[in-house]
Amino acid sequence: MALVSSTQMLGEARAAGYCVGAFNVHTLEMLQAVVEAAEEANAPLILQTTVGTVRHLGPEYVAAMARVAAERARVPIALHLDHCQEEELIARCIKAGYTSVMIDASMHPFAENVERTQRVVTLARAFGVNVEAELGKVGGVEDDLVVDDADASLADPLECERFMELTKVDTLAPAIGTAHGIYKGEPRIDFVRLEEIARRVPAPLVLHGGSGIPEAQVKRAVALGMAKMNVATELRIAFSNAIKATFEEHPGENDPRTYMKRAKQAVKEVALAKMEMCGCTGKALVR
C-alpha cells in the first residue's frame, strides 16, 4: 500500500487505548529493520527522520525509500518529519512525499507558536498531511536541538486546550517530564498533568523521549491518552554497538553487507520490544 497519513492511525490508537511506535531511522538498514519488525508484529508503523537526517540524506531519497517499503509492506506505514522549526523544509518534505510533519515552535511565546503552527496546518491540509506541534519544552538533545534541564518546561493543560482550539493541529506533544536521549535516572513523568491535558485535549497525544522509559510508565502514559511514542536513541545505540561488536570480533571485516546485517537485526529486536510495550502489536489491518 502507499504511505498513509498518521491522522487516522493515531486517532484509532487513542480511541482504542494503545500507542503507535514512531522510530527515527538514519539508514536504509534501520528503515528496513523497523518495517520488518512492524510486519512481524502486525503493527502500524511511523517512520521518522530528524532534520539532521533529512539534511544528510535529502528528503526525496528518504521519501523514496519509505514509499518502496510501504508499497511492499502488509501494514500501514506513515513517514514523519520530527522537530522541524523551518517552514520551508516542512514544505519541501511534504512535496517529497512525507505524510506527517512536526512544526516545533515551542521555544517561542504562545502566540507565535500558534501563528507558526496555523501556517503549517493550512499548508498540510491541502495534501492530507498530519501535523504535530509541541507545547512546553522537552529537555535533552536531538541533533542540533538542545534543551538544558534548566530550560525544560512542562505544558500547561489550559494552554494545551486553547492551542488546539486555535490551531486545529492533528496531534499534540505536551512536555510532561520526558527527555530526548538516555535518562540519567528514572524519568519523572507528571502523570497528573498528563491526565488533565488528556481530559481537555481529545486529539492523539505524543510521547517524546521514548528511549529508556520504564515499561510501567509507558503503559500508564498510553492509558492516559498517549497515542504515539518516539524512539530514537535506543535504536542508534543498538545499531552502533552491533557494528562495533563485529569489528571487535573480526577486525579485518570490510564487507558492509556483513556488519550491516547484524546491526539491522539489533534494531529490529529493539523495535519489536517497543511495539509490544506500546500495545500496537496485532493492531494493523494486514492486507
Side-chain angles (χ1 to χ4, degrees), residues 3-11 13 19-25 30-31 34-35 38 43-49 66 75-82 98-101 130 132 171 204-206 227-231 235 271 275 280:
L3 286 167
V4 301
S5 168
S6 57
T7 301
Q8 181 177 348
M9 182 190 295
L10 295 177
C19 184
V20 178
F23 301 94
N24 282 23
V25 297
M30 294 182 79
L31 185 150
V34 296
V35 170
L45 172 67
I46 298 175
L47 296 169
Q48 281 192 170
T49 54
V75 297
I77 299 175
L79 177 60
H80 177 73
L81 171 66
D82 201 29
Y98 277 67
T99 58
S100 179
V101 295
N130 179 281
E132 177 183 328
T171 51
L205 301 176
V206 181
K228 172 178 178 264
M229 183 174 80
N230 294 0
V231 181
L235 297 185
M275 290 171 185
C280 61

Side-chain angles (χ1 to χ4, degrees), residues 1-3 28 31-32 35 39 47 60-75 77 79 96-97 287:
M1 64 179 71
L3 286 167
L28 172 61
L31 185 150
Q32 290 174 324
V35 170
E39 292 211 88
L47 296 169
E60 295 79 14
Y61 277 99
V62 175
M65 290 190 297
R67 188 162 49 246
V68 170
E71 288 170 353
R72 295 184 176 184
R74 298 173 296 110
V75 297
I77 299 175
L79 177 60
R287 65 179 180 181

Side-chain angles (χ1 to χ4, degrees), residues 265-281:
Q265 181 61 31
V267 170
K268 180 179 176 180
E269 290 171 4
V270 173
L272 282 169
K274 294 298 181 181
M275 290 171 185
E276 183 68 28
M277 189 182 297
C278 288
C280 61
T281 297

Side-chain angles (χ1 to χ4, degrees), residues 218-255:
V218 170
K219 291 184 179 299
R220 186 177 176 187
V222 172
L224 290 174
M226 287 296 183
K228 172 178 178 264
M229 183 174 80
N230 294 0
V231 181
T233 305
E234 283 186 82
L235 297 185
R236 291 202 311 271
I237 290 174
F239 186 83
S240 300
N241 284 348
I243 293 175
K244 292 174 186 176
T246 298
F247 287 131
E248 287 174 0
E249 296 167 11
H250 307 283
E253 181 60 65
N254 60 13
D255 189 341

